[in-house]
Amino acid sequence: GDSVTQMEGPVTLSEEAFLTINCTYTATGYPSLFWYVQYPGEGLQLLLKATKADDKGSNKGFEATYRKETTSFHLEKGSVQVSDSAVYFCALPAGGTSYGKLTFGQGTILTVHP
Amino acid sequence: GAGVSQTPSNKVTEKGKYVELRCDPISGHTALYWYRQSLGQGPEFLIYFQGTGAADDSGLPNDRFFAVRPEGSVSTLKIQRTERGDSAVYLCASSWTGTGESPLHFGNGTRLTVT
């Protein structure tokens, strides 16, 4: 079945460091891909998405490119801030569904120190 | 505007008891989802409502779990004869439509602890 694998965490960085959180997936076809973020004390929210191969999703300085050759959707940010400290989840639609039934990765905890 | 509201935020119950978890979605959102998140894991899908009907309940783990959305807005997740393995954070999400293009808006969850 469809699955998502995220890099092992947690990740600890200093402010202004470069961030990469790896995500690879297994799926039938070419589903949309998502990154969700959960800030402390808040609910999960969509960070960015890409709907087809080679698309780049971007938001709040974060980027991720849909790479079908490597079945990856790695999240990157050039200069992280303390306010980026959160848990990040990679996700895709489960079983080729067209609604919000998502399969999530296990999450990566990011802590950014001043 | 108001986001997805879940009550209670925490629930502690004894093994074998019945519990109800409530979700108030964003006004106007037709699609509503329940997910379950265990410690250190990503959310796992339980059930999807489109309007009042359960369009996909394939994620409910067994017949002790049941959910309703009688008027197409508020939803209640019901768990009978709770077991310690039911302990988790139960998340509710809503979206404008049921399509994949409509992002999910999650509540803060209900942390259920079964002792």
Side-chain angles (χ1 to χ4, degrees):
Chain A
D2 298 348
S3 65
V4 176
T5 301
Q6 288 183 232
M7 66 183 293
E8 296 294 326
V11 175
T12 302
L13 296 173
S14 297
E15 207 164 25
E16 299 183 2
F18 183 85
L19 168 71
T20 299
I21 300 177
N22 290 340
C23 170
T24 57
Y25 66 90
T26 301
T28 303
Y30 302 106
S32 295
L33 299 173
F34 306 90
W35 277 100
Y36 276 79
V37 59
Q38 185 171 29
Y39 297 105
E42 300 183 16
L44 277 157
Q45 57 186 271
L46 180 65
L47 178 60
L48 55 82
K49 69 177 184 181
T51 58
K52 61 182 187 293
D54 299 325
D55 261 5
K56 177 183 286 188
S58 61
N59 186 27
K60 299 183 179 181
F62 290 87
E63 293 183 338
T65 301
Y66 190 157
R67 304 280 190 201
K68 67 178 183 180
E69 300 84 2
T70 54
T71 61
S72 65
F73 192 54
H74 304 323
L75 183 68
E76 297 182 336
K77 187 173 186 181
S79 177
V80 294
Q81 304 301 311
V82 172
S83 57
D84 294 325
S85 297
V87 186
Y88 294 82
F89 295 90
C90 187
L92 54 74
T97 56
S98 61
Y99 45 92
K101 178 180 180 180
L102 301 179
T103 294
F104 286 86
Q106 76 271 29
T108 300
I109 300 172
L110 170 66
T111 302
V112 180
H113 293 298
Chain B
V4 176
S5 175
Q6 292 188 245
T7 53
S9 55
N10 282 282
K11 176 70 176 177
V12 180
T13 191
E14 292 180 349
K15 179 176 178 296
K17 298 291 188 183
Y18 168 84
V19 296
E20 290 189 350
L21 312 179
R22 176 186 169 102
C23 173
D24 278 277
I26 293 173
S27 178
H29 281 194
T30 63
L32 185 145
Y33 305 82
W34 285 98
Y35 283 79
R36 179 167 71 173
Q37 187 174 16
S38 300
L39 190 64
Q41 302 297 316
E44 294 179 317
F45 171 81
L46 295 177
I47 187 169
Y48 156 52
F49 286 90
Q50 183 58 48
T52 60
D56 183 343
D57 65 357
S58 61
L60 295 178
N62 51 59
D63 61 5
R64 295 185 297 105
F65 288 74
F66 189 71
V68 295
R69 196 186 185 199
E71 298 179 356
S73 56
V74 170
S75 176
T76 305
L77 178 66
K78 308 179 181 193
I79 310 173
Q80 298 177 321
R81 304 182 306 279
T82 52
E83 299 177 358
R84 293 194 179 88
D86 299 334
S87 297
V89 177
Y90 289 82
L91 300 172
C92 177
S94 68
S95 63
W96 277 114
T97 70
T99 69
E101 296 307 309
S102 185
L104 302 185
H105 298 262
F106 283 84
N108 285 3
T110 293
R111 181 176 300 278
L112 175 66
T113 303
V114 182
T115 62

